[in-house]
Amino acid sequence: MKALLKNLICMLLLMFLVNLQSEAVAAEFFTINGVVKDSHSKKKLEYATVTIPGSTITTVSNADGEFSLKVKVSSTATEIEISHVGYLSSRIPIDRSEETKTYYLNPNAYLLKEVVVRPGFARSIVDQAVSKIETNYSQSNNMFTCFYRETVQKGKRYIQVSEAILNLYKEPYSKGIDRDRVRIYKGRKLISQNLKDTLAVKLMGGPYMAVLLDIVKNKDILLDKEMLSAYDYTMEESVNLNNRPQYVISFRPAVVLPYALYYGKYYIDEQTLTFTRIEFSLDLSDRDKAINQILIRKPAGLHFKPSEVSFVINYKQQNGVSYMNYMRTLSQFKCDWKKRLFSSKYSIVSEVVATERDDSPKEYIPYKESFKYDQLFEDKVSNFTDENFWGDYNIIAPTESLLDGLNKLKKQYK
């Protein structure tokens, strides 16, 4: 009886200590919750950048314009800064109440100064921006803390959600991506238990997109000499980004090569000639070329028909130096098996946001610990269990539709 009583007291003490520890962790940070909207149309602004000025703490708003930003209680920060393409950036006093507030941005299209847009002018701007990469981007080793999310939808229904905190190691932009590596620090997943929902294809990417899609560093995709000559360039209407005027230059394939090319837009800072944003999509006019470019494997007998493969990369400047900030990929396709009447529509969205940065890392990521481009992300993480899984890490706030999808997936595990 005494032994039982002693064990019970120890258990209660342990529970008390665990609760105290949880409360202590919760007390270490507060959360700024908000929705970003256009001040005129009241439209919600997706993928706006939210940061603490003068720090490396960053997140982005989700597809519903919502964001949450965790800040240490001990922080002396007094403002957040919100920016979006085509809008004036805004600095707003920090509200520690944790209530969800609405933050408005003012649209501001920037008219390019009067210049004679002669033939070749757009290509010349791109060439100059490429020549200034080593000047405009980090020339030191950096270790980023990133949040990654990958969702798979079949029709409008979520069949897979995977998330992770990543460590991303990058060498100077004067070097290639050979020694840039990404590692999964912690992660979780939910996958539909319905066998009919099994996705039988593997697309290139996953967390490795944080390395592969850094277009400014990985010039082979769009910005080396051969690739630059493969496109036609056109000046578009200029815009503001981070309260700075931007050249907007669209590009389209000008030649036919043995592999698929891209079309899209470059946003280039007018003053520094820094690439601040790149939007591009895979040219699907030759479907076989496009499939070979993105598909790693599929089972025999499965027809894979892509309808859209698009990418967005944002770079954020701090103290005159630009760093990778946010990436998003979207792949939409149909899959059908031979002799089956109907095909299934799938949509895969991957996002990675650099939430913090260490510009004097004491370590790099060994190759054996790194995530490789041909690996399956869901094989590297465990199932959803802990509701407080992320602790004080910043993440991309889930949308309402994603939360609904997560709840439906969780019910399959009960």
Side-chain angles (χ1 to χ4, degrees):
M1 186 69 177
K2 287 182 179 179
L4 182 62
L5 183 60
K6 182 177 180 181
N7 288 338
L8 180 60
I9 292 172
C10 288
M11 187 180 296
L12 289 171
L13 281 172
L14 180 61
M15 290 175 63
F16 178 69
L17 288 172
V18 168
N19 286 334
L20 279 180
Q21 185 179 29
S22 299
E23 290 174 8
V25 170
E28 289 178 359
F29 66 89
F30 64 95
T31 305
I32 303 169
N33 298 301
V35 182
V36 186
K37 293 185 178 182
D38 181 305
S39 62
H40 292 179
S41 67
K42 305 302 185 285
K43 172 187 174 183
K44 295 178 179 178
L45 298 179
E46 57 185 20
Y47 314 124
T49 299
V50 184
T51 188
I52 301 293
S55 79
T56 60
I57 302 172
T58 306
T59 190
V60 294
S61 63
N62 63 23
D64 292 337
E66 301 166 344
F67 73 88
S68 63
L69 187 68
K70 294 172 183 174
V71 183
K72 289 183 179 179
V73 171
S74 59
S75 171
T76 58
T78 59
E79 295 178 313
I80 58 170
E81 183 175 57
I82 305 176
S83 60
H84 193 283
V85 175
Y87 291 81
L88 289 173
S89 297
S90 180
R91 290 196 176 191
I92 305 110
I94 286 177
D95 182 349
R96 299 196 177 208
S97 68
E98 301 200 0
E99 295 179 3
T100 300
K101 297 205 166 185
T102 301
Y103 300 94
Y104 293 100
L105 295 185
N106 294 316
N108 185 269
Y110 176 80
L111 297 179
L112 190 65
K113 295 176 184 177
E114 289 188 14
V115 294
V116 178
V117 183
R118 60 187 183 279
F121 180 72
R123 167 65 191 272
S124 173
I125 295 297
V126 176
D127 286 340
Q128 291 179 64
V130 171
S131 71
K132 289 181 173 291
I133 286 175
E134 292 187 18
T135 303
N136 289 330
Y137 296 84
S138 176
Q139 290 306 309
S140 61
N141 296 329
N142 287 274
M143 184 74 80
F144 295 85
T145 300
C146 301
F147 175 72
Y148 176 82
R149 177 182 287 137
E150 182 179 295
T151 61
V152 182
Q153 289 179 268
K154 185 178 182 180
K156 294 184 177 180
R157 186 165 51 87
Y158 285 93
I159 63 171
Q160 183 173 320
V161 180
S162 306
E163 301 173 330
I165 298 297
L166 307 177
N167 302 130
L168 172 63
Y169 178 80
K170 283 186 174 290
E171 288 195 328
Y173 274 70
S174 55
K175 300 181 180 181
I177 64 169
D178 292 346
R179 287 176 57 83
D180 289 3
R181 290 170 187 163
V182 62
R183 172 175 61 196
I184 298 173
Y185 175 71
K186 62 184 299 188
R188 62 184 189 174
K189 66 184 177 185
L190 274 179
I191 299 177
S192 173
Q193 301 300 290
N194 187 337
L195 292 178
K196 292 182 180 180
D197 288 339
T198 302
L199 185 60
V201 300
K202 165 58 180 166
L203 303 180
M204 184 177 293
Y208 189 73
M209 66 183 275
V211 173
L212 184 67
L213 287 181
D214 188 347
I215 300 300
V216 174
K217 202 163 195 282
N218 187 17
K219 298 186 188 72
D220 291 348
I221 296 179
L222 285 171
L223 296 177
D224 69 6
K225 289 184 179 180
E226 180 184 358
M227 287 294 96
L228 287 169
S229 299
Y231 294 92
D232 287 329
Y233 302 88
T234 305
M235 295 296 301
E236 305 289 348
E237 184 177 351
S238 297
V239 299
N240 255 299
L241 179 58
N242 299 319
N243 289 349
R244 297 175 67 89
Q246 309 285 316
Y247 293 115
V248 181
I249 299 174
S250 62
F251 58 92
R252 301 190 69 84
V255 297
V256 176
L257 294 176
Y259 43 85
L261 296 175
Y262 302 90
Y263 59 91
K265 291 180 180 179
Y266 296 120
Y267 294 76
I268 300 174
D269 186 285
E270 183 183 320
Q271 181 179 349
T272 63
L273 296 180
T274 303
F275 291 99
T276 54
R277 179 179 172 91
I278 303 174
E279 305 168 350
F280 63 109
S281 299
L282 188 64
D283 183 3
L284 301 178
S285 57
D286 188 321
R287 210 167 288 273
D288 289 337
K289 288 182 184 178
I291 291 173
N292 289 335
Q293 202 138 317
I294 62 172
L295 191 62
I296 292 178
R297 61 176 178 267
K298 72 174 182 66
L302 179 70
H303 292 159
F304 175 80
K305 302 174 183 177
S307 57
E308 181 180 353
V309 182
S310 58
F311 312 87
V312 175
I313 303 100
N314 280 351
Y315 296 89
K316 182 73 174 176
Q317 188 183 88
Q318 186 178 27
N319 299 324
V321 180
S322 289
Y323 304 87
M324 189 281 291
N325 172 240
Y326 173 72
M327 295 180 180
R328 183 176 77 255
T329 71
L330 167 64
S331 301
Q332 293 182 324
F333 52 90
K334 291 182 180 180
C335 286
D336 65 79
W337 294 89
K338 289 180 180 179
K339 299 182 181 180
R340 287 191 184 177
L341 185 60
F342 300 106
S343 60
S344 298
K345 295 181 180 179
Y346 292 91
S347 177
I348 301 179
V349 176
S350 300
E351 295 180 277
V352 59
V353 58
T355 57
E356 291 194 49
R357 175 178 51 82
D358 181 358
D359 56 9
S360 300
K362 295 181 175 62
E363 63 167 345
Y364 74 104
I365 300 173
Y367 179 78
K368 65 180 180 180
E369 296 180 14
S370 65
F371 185 92
K372 286 75 172 178
Y373 81 95
D374 58 348
Q375 291 180 323
L376 286 173
F377 176 48
E378 58 267 25
D379 290 345
K380 302 293 183 178
V381 295
S382 56
N383 290 333
F384 274 57
T385 51
D386 183 6
E387 292 297 326
N388 298 312
F389 187 78
W390 299 124
D392 60 353
Y393 286 102
N394 276 304
I395 67 170
I396 301 172
T399 60
E400 280 191 31
S401 64
L402 177 55
L403 287 173
D404 182 58
L406 285 171
N407 288 332
K408 289 178 180 177
L409 285 173
K410 287 176 182 177
K411 289 178 181 178
Q412 296 182 12
Y413 287 79
K414 293 180 179 180

